[in-house]
Amino acid sequence: MKKLKIGIIGCGGIANQKHFPALKNNADLNEIVAFCDIIVERAEKACAEFGVEGARVYKDYHDLLADPEVEVVHICTPNVSHSEIAIAAFEAKKHVYCEKPMSHSPVEAMKMVEAWKKSGMQFTVGYQNRFRPEVQNLHAACAAGDLGDIYYGKAHAVRRRGVPTWGVFMDKAQQGGGPLIDIGTHALDITLWCMNNYDIDSVTGSVFYKLGGLQQATEGNLFGPWDPKTYEVEDSAMGFIKMKNGATINLEASWALNILDSREASTTLCGTAAGAEIHSGMSYGKNELIYNRGRNGQLMEETLSPVGGVAYFGGGGGEEGTIDCRQWLEAINNGTQPLVKPEEALAVTRILDAIYQSAKENKEIKF
């Protein structure tokens, strides 16, 4: 396979924690030839560390997209900018890997899908948690019918105190939301993907702004105390999602919640033949997958051997990030579809937005 020429737009936390290491781990399939950031020094630093000889640095993403050598663009910018950059990239005939969520807005996300379809290029969204071993195992079991008819699920994205204190995470104008759109998106993606159910009927949600503005709530935060005066997004949100076939999903997301069990990028699935739970997050030293069913006249629990963690706080790309990156690059080279399909990411964005809308308008949102 040929080495694809990569351009990175946004050289902040997620680029350094996930994209640069994952691309480096797949150096046989790519080389990074262009770096862009509105803070030029960040792009220059990334270029010196990860760029090939002759790699370029840009401040304006339009200039990077005009670079004829760039074939693939990775968008690692704040959520509200995803749409405009992706659309411009498709118009410039670049393949696009966009960080999650696809967008802060379903309207903007739909524009991205339309631009992608017109372009003939490849498009995927950064839901790398699908590539964790226990998620792959659960998805395979669901696809094989081992759980039977899956009619109830829970999407868990709960941190007791895990407010990210860097970047623009607490800036509503740039992010569009807080934990719901940041980590709730991963848990919902896993749950929908394993259920293989994207046909939404209605959404009801509650969004809470209770702890973000309280100084005493900052105690014990994993990333150090945040500034309550600059905390603009929700600290927790809950959603009830009903699908058209009658299946339902409860989604819980928080950066700060007075709860003991911190489960992140996790799911609980209940089917007619069996159930399954993924335990992952700050309360768990190692990720767990537990199946439960009746067997030989008794209820049984079957556990997958322990595997690695969920997040990228220490950098290094993560095994799932490396696998995700490789299948993406191979999909481009082979002309095949990447695992995370744009239409699936769009459904996640629509649900998250409906939770915010339901909470604001105090009503059920019908689809």
Side-chain angles (χ1 to χ4, degrees), residues 14-103:
I14 197 63
N16 282 277
Q17 293 165 5
K18 171 185 165 184
H19 290 259
F20 292 146
L23 287 164
K24 184 178 180 180
N25 291 341
N26 289 290
D28 59 315
L29 293 180
N30 81 94
E31 51 188 26
I32 311 178
V33 300
F35 300 78
C36 178
D37 199 288
I38 57 173
I39 301 174
V40 176
E41 292 77 13
R42 288 199 304 207
E44 291 173 340
K45 180 177 182 296
C47 183
E49 186 172 355
F50 297 102
V52 297
E53 186 176 352
R56 279 81 62 199
V57 170
Y58 299 103
K59 184 175 183 179
D60 188 328
Y61 75 83
H62 293 97
D63 295 330
L64 182 146
L65 295 179
D67 188 329
E69 189 179 17
V70 174
E71 300 171 285
V72 184
V73 170
H74 284 215
I75 300 173
C76 307
T77 59
N79 298 337
V80 298
S81 64
H82 287 180
S83 177
E84 67 174 63
I85 297 173
I87 292 169
F90 288 130
E91 290 174 347
K93 295 298 182 182
K94 314 293 186 185
H95 302 291
V96 174
Y97 183 121
C98 181
E99 253 309 318
K100 61 78 192 167
M102 179 186 285
S103 175

Coordinates of all heavy atoms in Angstrom, one line a residue, residues 14-103:
I14 N -6.0 16.5 21.7 CA -6.4 15.2 21.1 C -5.5 14.8 19.9 O -5.2 13.6 19.7 CB -7.9 15.2 20.6 CG1 -8.4 13.8 20.3 CG2 -8.0 16.1 19.3 CD1 -8.4 12.9 21.6
A15 N -4.9 15.8 19.2 CA -3.9 15.5 18.2 C -2.7 14.8 18.8 O -2.2 13.8 18.3 CB -3.6 16.7 17.4
N16 N -2.2 15.4 19.9 CA -1.0 14.9 20.5 C -1.2 13.6 21.3 O -0.3 12.8 21.3 CB -0.4 16.0 21.5 CG 0.3 17.1 20.7 OD1 1.5 16.9 20.3 ND2 -0.3 18.2 20.4
Q17 N -2.4 13.5 21.9 CA -2.7 12.3 22.7 C -3.1 11.1 21.9 O -2.8 9.9 22.2 CB -3.8 12.6 23.7 CG -3.4 13.6 24.8 CD -4.6 14.1 25.5 OE1 -5.7 13.7 25.3 NE2 -4.3 15.1 26.4
K18 N -3.7 11.3 20.7 CA -4.2 10.2 19.9 C -3.7 10.2 18.5 O -3.1 9.2 18.1 CB -5.8 10.3 19.9 CG -6.5 9.4 19.0 CD -8.0 9.6 18.9 CE -8.6 9.0 17.8 NZ -10.1 9.3 17.7
H19 N -3.9 11.3 17.7 CA -3.7 11.2 16.3 C -2.2 11.1 15.9 O -1.8 10.2 15.1 CB -4.3 12.4 15.6 CG -5.8 12.4 15.6 ND1 -6.5 12.0 14.5 CD2 -6.7 12.7 16.6 CE1 -7.8 12.1 14.8 NE2 -7.9 12.5 16.1
F20 N -1.3 11.9 16.5 CA 0.1 11.8 16.2 C 0.7 10.5 16.5 O 1.4 9.9 15.7 CB 0.9 13.0 16.8 CG 0.5 14.3 16.3 CD1 0.5 15.5 17.1 CD2 0.2 14.5 15.0 CE1 0.2 16.7 16.6 CE2 -0.1 15.8 14.5 CZ -0.1 16.9 15.3
P21 N 0.5 10.0 17.8 CA 1.0 8.7 18.1 C 0.5 7.5 17.2 O 1.2 6.7 16.8 CB 0.7 8.5 19.6 CG 0.4 9.9 20.1 CD -0.1 10.6 19.0
A22 N -0.9 7.6 17.0 CA -1.5 6.5 16.2 C -0.9 6.5 14.7 O -0.7 5.5 14.1 CB -3.0 6.7 16.2
L23 N -0.8 7.7 14.2 CA -0.2 7.8 12.8 C 1.3 7.4 12.8 O 1.7 6.7 11.9 CB -0.3 9.3 12.3 CG -1.8 9.7 11.9 CD1 -1.8 11.2 11.8 CD2 -2.2 9.0 10.6
K24 N 2.0 7.7 13.9 CA 3.4 7.3 14.0 C 3.5 5.8 14.0 O 4.4 5.1 13.5 CB 4.0 7.9 15.2 CG 5.5 7.6 15.3 CD 6.1 8.3 16.6 CE 7.6 8.0 16.7 NZ 8.1 8.7 17.9
N25 N 2.5 5.1 14.8 CA 2.5 3.7 14.9 C 2.1 3.0 13.6 O 2.3 1.8 13.5 CB 1.5 3.3 16.0 CG 2.0 3.7 17.4 OD1 3.1 3.9 17.6 ND2 1.1 3.7 18.3
N26 N 1.6 3.8 12.6 CA 1.3 3.2 11.3 C 2.1 3.9 10.2 O 1.6 4.2 9.1 CB -0.2 3.4 11.0 CG -1.1 2.5 11.9 OD1 -1.1 1.3 11.7 ND2 -1.8 3.1 12.8
A27 N 3.4 4.1 10.5 CA 4.2 4.9 9.6 C 4.4 4.3 8.3 O 4.8 4.9 7.3 CB 5.6 5.1 10.3
D28 N 4.1 3.0 8.2 CA 4.2 2.3 6.9 C 3.1 2.7 5.9 O 3.2 2.4 4.7 CB 4.2 0.8 7.1 CG 3.0 0.3 7.7 OD1 2.5 0.9 8.7 OD2 2.4 -0.8 7.2
L29 N 2.1 3.3 6.4 CA 0.9 3.7 5.6 C 0.7 5.2 5.4 O -0.2 5.6 4.7 CB -0.4 3.1 6.2 CG -0.5 1.6 6.2 CD1 -1.8 1.2 6.9 CD2 -0.4 1.0 4.8
N30 N 1.5 6.0 6.1 CA 1.3 7.4 6.0 C 2.5 8.2 6.4 O 3.5 7.7 7.0 CB 0.1 7.8 7.0 CG 0.6 8.0 8.4 OD1 1.0 9.1 8.8 ND2 0.7 6.9 9.1
E31 N 2.5 9.5 6.0 CA 3.5 10.4 6.5 C 2.8 11.8 6.6 O 1.9 12.2 5.8 CB 4.7 10.5 5.6 CG 4.4 10.8 4.1 CD 5.7 10.7 3.3 OE1 6.6 10.0 3.7 OE2 5.7 11.3 2.2
I32 N 3.0 12.5 7.7 CA 2.4 13.8 7.9 C 3.2 14.9 7.3 O 4.3 15.1 7.6 CB 2.2 14.0 9.4 CG1 1.6 12.8 10.2 CG2 1.3 15.3 9.7 CD1 1.5 13.0 11.7
V33 N 2.5 15.5 6.3 CA 3.3 16.5 5.5 C 2.8 18.0 5.8 O 3.5 18.9 5.3 CB 3.1 16.2 4.0 CG1 3.6 14.8 3.6 CG2 1.6 16.4 3.6
A34 N 1.8 18.1 6.6 CA 1.3 19.5 6.8 C 0.6 19.6 8.2 O -0.1 18.7 8.6 CB 0.3 20.0 5.7
F35 N 0.8 20.7 8.9 CA 0.3 20.9 10.2 C -0.3 22.3 10.3 O 0.3 23.3 9.8 CB 1.4 20.8 11.3 CG 2.1 19.5 11.3 CD1 3.1 19.2 10.4 CD2 1.8 18.6 12.3 CE1 3.7 17.9 10.4 CE2 2.4 17.3 12.4 CZ 3.4 17.0 11.4
C36 N -1.5 22.4 10.9 CA -2.2 23.7 10.9 C -2.7 23.9 12.3 O -3.3 23.0 12.9 CB -3.3 23.8 9.9 SG -4.3 25.3 10.0
D37 N -2.5 25.1 12.9 CA -3.1 25.5 14.1 C -3.1 27.1 14.2 O -2.2 27.7 13.7 CB -2.3 25.0 15.3 CG -3.1 25.0 16.6 OD1 -3.3 26.0 17.2 OD2 -3.5 23.9 17.0
I38 N -4.2 27.6 14.8 CA -4.2 29.0 14.9 C -3.2 29.6 15.9 O -2.8 30.7 15.8 CB -5.6 29.5 15.4 CG1 -6.0 28.9 16.8 CG2 -6.7 29.2 14.4 CD1 -7.3 29.4 17.4
I39 N -2.7 28.7 16.8 CA -1.5 29.0 17.5 C -0.3 28.3 16.8 O -0.1 27.1 16.9 CB -1.6 28.5 19.0 CG1 -2.8 29.1 19.7 CG2 -0.3 28.8 19.8 CD1 -3.1 28.5 21.1
V40 N 0.4 29.1 16.0 CA 1.4 28.6 15.1 C 2.5 27.8 15.8 O 3.0 26.8 15.3 CB 2.0 29.7 14.2 CG1 3.1 29.2 13.3 CG2 0.9 30.4 13.4
E41 N 2.8 28.2 17.0 CA 3.9 27.5 17.8 C 3.5 26.1 18.0 O 4.4 25.2 18.0 CB 4.1 28.3 19.1 CG 4.8 29.6 18.9 CD 3.8 30.7 18.5 OE1 2.5 30.4 18.6 OE2 4.2 31.8 18.2
R42 N 2.2 25.8 18.2 CA 1.8 24.4 18.4 C 2.0 23.6 17.2 O 2.5 22.4 17.2 CB 0.4 24.3 18.9 CG 0.1 24.8 20.3 CD -1.2 24.3 20.9 NE -2.4 24.7 20.1 CZ -3.6 24.8 20.6 NH1 -3.8 24.7 21.9 NH2 -4.6 25.2 19.8
A43 N 1.7 24.2 16.0 CA 1.9 23.5 14.8 C 3.4 23.3 14.5 O 3.8 22.2 14.0 CB 1.2 24.2 13.6
E44 N 4.2 24.3 14.8 CA 5.6 24.1 14.6 C 6.2 23.0 15.4 O 7.1 22.3 15.0 CB 6.3 25.5 14.8 CG 6.0 26.6 13.8 CD 6.5 27.9 14.2 OE1 6.8 28.1 15.4 OE2 6.6 28.8 13.3
K45 N 5.8 23.0 16.7 CA 6.3 21.9 17.6 C 5.9 20.6 17.1 O 6.7 19.6 17.1 CB 5.7 22.2 19.0 CG 6.2 21.2 20.0 CD 5.6 21.5 21.4 CE 6.1 20.5 22.5 NZ 5.6 19.2 22.3
A46 N 4.6 20.4 16.7 CA 4.2 19.1 16.2 C 4.9 18.7 14.9 O 5.3 17.6 14.7 CB 2.7 19.2 15.9
C47 N 5.2 19.7 14.1 CA 5.9 19.5 12.8 C 7.3 19.0 13.1 O 7.8 18.0 12.4 CB 5.9 20.7 12.0 SG 6.7 20.5 10.3
A48 N 8.0 19.6 14.0 CA 9.3 19.2 14.4 C 9.4 17.8 14.9 O 10.3 17.0 14.7 CB 9.9 20.2 15.4
E49 N 8.3 17.4 15.6 CA 8.3 16.1 16.3 C 7.8 14.9 15.4 O 8.3 13.8 15.4 CB 7.5 16.1 17.5 CG 7.6 14.8 18.4 CD 6.9 15.0 19.7 OE1 6.5 16.1 20.1 OE2 6.8 13.9 20.4
F50 N 6.8 15.3 14.5 CA 6.1 14.2 13.8 C 6.1 14.4 12.3 O 5.7 13.4 11.6 CB 4.6 14.1 14.3 CG 4.4 13.8 15.7 CD1 4.1 14.7 16.7 CD2 4.6 12.4 16.1 CE1 3.9 14.4 18.0 CE2 4.4 12.1 17.4 CZ 4.1 13.1 18.4
G51 N 6.5 15.5 11.8 CA 6.5 15.7 10.4 C 7.7 15.1 9.6 O 8.7 14.9 10.2
V52 N 7.4 14.8 8.3 CA 8.5 14.3 7.5 C 9.4 15.5 7.1 O 9.0 16.7 7.3 CB 7.9 13.6 6.2 CG1 7.2 12.4 6.7 CG2 7.1 14.5 5.4
E53 N 10.5 15.2 6.5 CA 11.3 16.3 6.0 C 10.6 17.1 5.0 O 10.0 16.6 4.0 CB 12.6 15.7 5.4 CG 13.6 16.8 5.0 CD 14.9 16.2 4.5 OE1 15.1 15.0 4.6 OE2 15.8 17.0 3.9
G54 N 10.6 18.4 5.1 CA 9.9 19.3 4.2 C 8.5 19.6 4.6 O 7.8 20.2 3.8
A55 N 8.0 19.0 5.7 CA 6.6 19.3 6.1 C 6.3 20.8 6.3 O 7.2 21.5 6.8 CB 6.3 18.5 7.4
R56 N 5.1 21.2 6.0 CA 4.8 22.6 6.1 C 3.9 22.9 7.3 O 3.2 22.0 7.8 CB 4.0 23.0 4.8 CG 4.8 23.4 3.6 CD 5.2 22.1 2.9 NE 4.1 21.4 2.3 CZ 4.2 20.1 1.9 NH1 5.3 19.4 2.1 NH2 3.1 19.5 1.4
V57 N 4.0 24.2 7.7 CA 3.2 24.6 8.9 C 2.3 25.8 8.4 O 2.7 26.7 7.6 CB 4.1 25.1 10.0 CG1 3.3 25.9 11.1 CG2 4.8 24.0 10.6
Y58 N 1.0 25.7 8.8 CA 0.0 26.7 8.3 C -0.7 27.2 9.6 O -0.9 26.5 10.5 CB -1.0 26.1 7.4 CG -0.4 25.6 6.1 CD1 -0.2 24.2 5.9 CD2 0.0 26.5 5.1 CE1 0.3 23.7 4.7 CE2 0.5 26.0 3.9 CZ 0.7 24.6 3.7 OH 1.2 24.1 2.5
K59 N -1.2 28.5 9.5 CA -2.1 29.1 10.5 C -3.5 29.0 10.1 O -4.4 28.9 10.9 CB -1.6 30.5 10.8 CG -2.4 31.2 11.9 CD -1.9 32.6 12.2 CE -2.7 33.2 13.4 NZ -2.2 34.5 13.8
D60 N -3.8 29.1 8.8 CA -5.1 29.1 8.2 C -5.4 27.8 7.5 O -4.6 27.3 6.7 CB -5.2 30.2 7.2 CG -6.7 30.4 6.7 OD1 -7.4 29.4 6.6 OD2 -7.0 31.6 6.3
Y61 N -6.4 27.1 7.9 CA -6.7 25.8 7.4 C -7.0 25.8 5.9 O -6.8 24.8 5.2 CB -7.8 25.1 8.1 CG -9.2 25.6 7.8 CD1 -9.9 25.1 6.7 CD2 -9.9 26.5 8.7 CE1 -11.2 25.5 6.4 CE2 -11.2 26.9 8.4 CZ -11.8 26.4 7.3 OH -13.1 26.9 7.0
H62 N -7.4 26.9 5.4 CA -7.7 27.0 3.9 C -6.4 26.8 3.2 O -6.3 26.3 2.1 CB -8.3 28.4 3.6 CG -9.7 28.6 4.1 ND1 -9.9 29.2 5.3 CD2 -10.9 28.2 3.6 CE1 -11.2 29.3 5.5 NE2 -11.8 28.6 4.5
D63 N -5.3 27.3 3.7 CA -4.0 27.2 3.1 C -3.5 25.7 3.1 O -3.0 25.2 2.1 CB -2.9 28.0 3.8 CG -3.2 29.5 3.6 OD1 -3.8 29.9 2.6 OD2 -2.8 30.3 4.6
L64 N -3.8 25.0 4.2 CA -3.5 23.6 4.2 C -4.3 22.8 3.2 O -3.7 22.0 2.4 CB -3.7 23.0 5.6 CG -3.3 21.5 5.8 CD1 -2.8 21.3 7.2 CD2 -4.5 20.6 5.5
L65 N -5.6 23.2 3.1 CA -6.4 22.5 2.1 C -6.0 22.8 0.7 O -6.3 22.0 -0.3 CB -7.9 22.8 2.3 CG -8.5 22.4 3.6 CD1 -9.9 22.9 3.8 CD2 -8.4 20.9 3.8
A66 N -5.4 23.9 0.4 CA -4.9 24.2 -0.9 C -3.6 23.6 -1.2 O -3.1 23.6 -2.4 CB -4.7 25.8 -1.0
D67 N -3.0 22.9 -0.3 CA -1.7 22.2 -0.5 C -2.0 21.0 -1.3 O -2.7 20.0 -0.9 CB -1.1 21.8 0.9 CG 0.3 21.2 0.8 OD1 0.6 20.6 -0.3 OD2 1.1 21.4 1.7
P68 N -1.4 20.9 -2.6 CA -1.8 19.8 -3.4 C -1.2 18.4 -3.0 O -1.7 17.4 -3.4 CB -1.1 20.2 -4.8 CG 0.0 21.1 -4.4 CD -0.5 21.9 -3.2
E69 N -0.2 18.4 -2.1 CA 0.3 17.2 -1.6 C -0.5 16.5 -0.6 O -0.5 15.3 -0.5 CB 1.7 17.4 -1.1 CG 2.5 16.1 -0.8 CD 3.9 16.3 -0.2 OE1 4.2 17.4 0.3 OE2 4.7 15.3 -0.3
V70 N -1.3 17.2 0.1 CA -2.2 16.7 1.2 C -3.3 15.9 0.5 O -4.1 16.4 -0.2 CB -2.7 17.8 2.1 CG1 -3.7 17.2 3.1 CG2 -1.6 18.5 2.8
E71 N -3.4 14.6 0.9 CA -4.5 13.8 0.4 C -5.6 13.5 1.5 O -6.7 13.3 1.2 CB -3.9 12.4 0.0 CG -2.9 12.5 -1.1 CD -2.2 11.1 -1.3 OE1 -1.4 10.7 -0.4 OE2 -2.6 10.4 -2.3
V72 N -5.2 13.5 2.8 CA -6.1 13.1 3.9 C -6.0 14.2 4.9 O -4.8 14.6 5.3 CB -5.7 11.8 4.5 CG1 -6.7 11.3 5.6 CG2 -5.6 10.7 3.4
V73 N -7.1 14.6 5.5 CA -7.1 15.6 6.5 C -7.7 15.0 7.8 O -8.7 14.3 7.8 CB -8.0 16.8 6.1 CG1 -8.2 17.8 7.3 CG2 -7.3 17.6 4.9
H74 N -7.0 15.3 8.9 CA -7.6 14.9 10.2 C -8.0 16.2 10.9 O -7.1 17.1 11.1 CB -6.5 14.2 11.1 CG -6.4 12.7 10.7 ND1 -6.1 11.7 11.6 CD2 -6.4 12.1 9.5 CE1 -6.0 10.6 10.9 NE2 -6.2 10.8 9.7
I75 N -9.2 16.3 11.3 CA -9.8 17.5 11.9 C -9.8 17.3 13.4 O -10.5 16.5 14.0 CB -11.2 17.8 11.4 CG1 -11.1 18.1 9.9 CG2 -11.7 19.1 12.1 CD1 -12.5 18.2 9.2
C76 N -9.0 18.1 14.1 CA -8.8 17.9 15.6 C -9.0 19.3 16.3 O -8.3 19.7 17.2 CB -7.4 17.4 15.9 SG -7.0 15.9 15.0
T77 N -10.1 20.0 15.9 CA -10.4 21.3 16.3 C -11.6 21.3 17.2 O -12.3 20.3 17.3 CB -10.6 22.3 15.1 OG1 -11.7 21.7 14.4 CG2 -9.4 22.4 14.3
P78 N -12.0 22.4 17.9 CA -13.2 22.4 18.7 C -14.4 22.1 17.9 O -14.5 22.3 16.7 CB -13.2 23.9 19.2 CG -11.8 24.3 19.3 CD -11.1 23.6 18.1
N79 N -15.4 21.5 18.6 CA -16.6 21.0 17.9 C -17.3 21.9 16.9 O -17.7 21.4 15.8 CB -17.6 20.5 19.0 CG -17.1 19.5 19.9 OD1 -16.1 18.7 19.6 ND2 -17.6 19.4 21.1
V80 N -17.4 23.2 17.3 CA -18.2 24.0 16.4 C -17.6 24.3 15.1 O -18.2 24.8 14.2 CB -18.6 25.4 17.2 CG1 -19.4 25.1 18.4 CG2 -17.3 26.1 17.5
S81 N -16.3 24.0 15.0 CA -15.6 24.3 13.7 C -15.5 23.1 12.8 O -15.1 23.2 11.6 CB -14.2 24.8 14.0 OG -13.4 23.7 14.6
H82 N -16.0 21.9 13.3 CA -15.9 20.7 12.5 C -16.5 20.8 11.1 O -16.0 20.4 10.1 CB -16.5 19.5 13.2 CG -15.7 19.0 14.4 ND1 -16.1 18.0 15.2 CD2 -14.5 19.5 14.9 CE1 -15.2 17.8 16.2 NE2 -14.2 18.7 16.0
S83 N -17.7 21.3 11.1 CA -18.5 21.3 9.9 C -17.9 22.2 8.8 O -17.7 21.7 7.7 CB -19.9 21.9 10.2 OG -20.7 21.9 9.0
E84 N -17.5 23.4 9.1 CA -17.0 24.3 8.0 C -15.7 23.7 7.5 O -15.4 23.8 6.3 CB -16.8 25.7 8.6 CG -15.8 25.9 9.6 CD -15.5 27.3 10.0 OE1 -16.5 28.0 10.5 OE2 -14.4 27.8 9.8
I85 N -14.9 23.2 8.4 CA -13.6 22.6 7.9 C -13.8 21.4 7.1 O -13.2 21.2 6.0 CB -12.6 22.3 9.1 CG1 -12.3 23.6 9.9 CG2 -11.4 21.7 8.6 CD1 -11.5 23.4 11.2
A86 N -14.7 20.5 7.5 CA -14.9 19.3 6.8 C -15.5 19.6 5.4 O -15.1 19.0 4.4 CB -15.8 18.4 7.6
I87 N -16.5 20.5 5.3 CA -17.1 20.8 4.0 C -16.0 21.4 3.1 O -16.0 21.0 1.9 CB -18.2 21.8 4.2 CG1 -19.4 21.1 5.0 CG2 -18.7 22.4 2.9 CD1 -20.5 22.0 5.5
A88 N -15.2 22.3 3.6 CA -14.1 22.8 2.8 C -13.1 21.8 2.3 O -12.6 21.8 1.2 CB -13.4 23.9 3.5
A89 N -12.9 20.8 3.2 CA -11.9 19.7 2.8 C -12.5 18.8 1.7 O -11.8 18.4 0.8 CB -11.6 18.9 4.1
F90 N -13.8 18.5 1.8 CA -14.4 17.7 0.8 C -14.4 18.5 -0.6 O -14.2 17.9 -1.6 CB -15.8 17.3 1.2 CG -15.9 16.3 2.3 CD1 -16.7 16.5 3.4 CD2 -15.2 15.1 2.2 CE1 -16.8 15.6 4.4 CE2 -15.3 14.2 3.2 CZ -16.0 14.4 4.3
E91 N -14.7 19.8 -0.5 CA -14.7 20.6 -1.7 C -13.3 20.6 -2.3 O -13.1 20.7 -3.6 CB -15.2 22.0 -1.4 CG -16.7 22.0 -1.1 CD -17.1 23.4 -0.7 OE1 -16.3 24.3 -0.4 OE2 -18.4 23.6 -0.6
A92 N -12.2 20.5 -1.5 CA -10.8 20.4 -1.9 C -10.4 19.0 -2.3 O -9.2 18.8 -2.6 CB -9.9 21.0 -0.9
K93 N -11.4 18.1 -2.3 CA -11.1 16.7 -2.6 C -10.1 16.0 -1.7 O -9.1 15.3 -2.2 CB -10.7 16.6 -4.1 CG -11.7 17.0 -5.1 CD -13.0 16.1 -5.0 CE -14.0 16.5 -6.0 NZ -15.2 15.6 -5.9
K94 N -10.3 16.2 -0.4 CA -9.5 15.5 0.6 C -10.4 14.4 1.3 O -11.6 14.6 1.5 CB -8.9 16.5 1.6 CG -8.3 17.7 1.1 CD -7.1 17.5 0.3 CE -6.4 18.9 -0.1 NZ -5.3 18.7 -1.0
H95 N -9.8 13.3 1.7 CA -10.4 12.4 2.6 C -10.4 13.0 4.0 O -9.4 13.7 4.4 CB -9.7 11.1 2.6 CG -9.5 10.4 1.3 ND1 -10.6 9.9 0.6 CD2 -8.5 10.2 0.5 CE1 -10.2 9.4 -0.6 NE2 -8.9 9.6 -0.7
V96 N -11.4 12.7 4.8 CA -11.6 13.4 6.1 C -11.8 12.4 7.2 O -12.7 11.6 7.2 CB -12.8 14.4 6.0 CG1 -13.0 15.0 7.4 CG2 -12.5 15.5 5.0
Y97 N -11.0 12.5 8.2 CA -11.2 11.9 9.5 C -11.5 13.1 10.5 O -10.6 13.9 10.7 CB -9.9 11.2 10.0 CG -10.1 10.4 11.3 CD1 -9.9 9.0 11.3 CD2 -10.3 11.1 12.5 CE1 -10.0 8.3 12.5 CE2 -10.5 10.4 13.7 CZ -10.3 9.0 13.7 OH -10.4 8.3 14.9
C98 N -12.7 13.1 11.0 CA -13.1 14.1 11.9 C -13.2 13.6 13.3 O -13.8 12.6 13.6 CB -14.5 14.7 11.5 SG -15.1 16.1 12.5
E99 N -12.6 14.3 14.3 CA -12.8 13.9 15.7 C -14.3 13.9 16.1 O -15.1 14.7 15.5 CB -12.0 14.9 16.6 CG -10.7 14.2 17.1 CD -11.0 12.9 17.8 OE1 -12.0 12.7 18.5 OE2 -10.2 11.9 17.6
K100 N -14.6 13.1 17.1 CA -15.9 13.1 17.6 C -16.2 14.4 18.4 O -15.2 15.0 18.9 CB -16.2 11.9 18.4 CG -15.2 11.8 19.7 CD -15.7 12.6 20.8 CE -14.6 12.7 21.9 NZ -14.9 13.8 22.9
P101 N -17.4 14.8 18.6 CA -18.6 14.3 17.8 C -18.5 14.9 16.4 O -17.7 15.8 16.1 CB -19.8 14.9 18.6 CG -19.2 16.2 19.1 CD -17.8 15.9 19.5
M102 N -19.3 14.4 15.5 CA -19.2 14.9 14.1 C -19.4 16.4 14.1 O -18.7 17.1 13.4 CB -20.3 14.2 13.2 CG -20.3 14.7 11.8 SD -21.7 14.1 10.9 CE -21.2 12.4 10.6
S103 N -20.4 16.9 14.9 CA -20.6 18.3 15.0 C -21.4 18.6 16.3 O -22.0 17.6 16.9 CB -21.4 18.8 13.8 OG -21.8 20.2 13.9

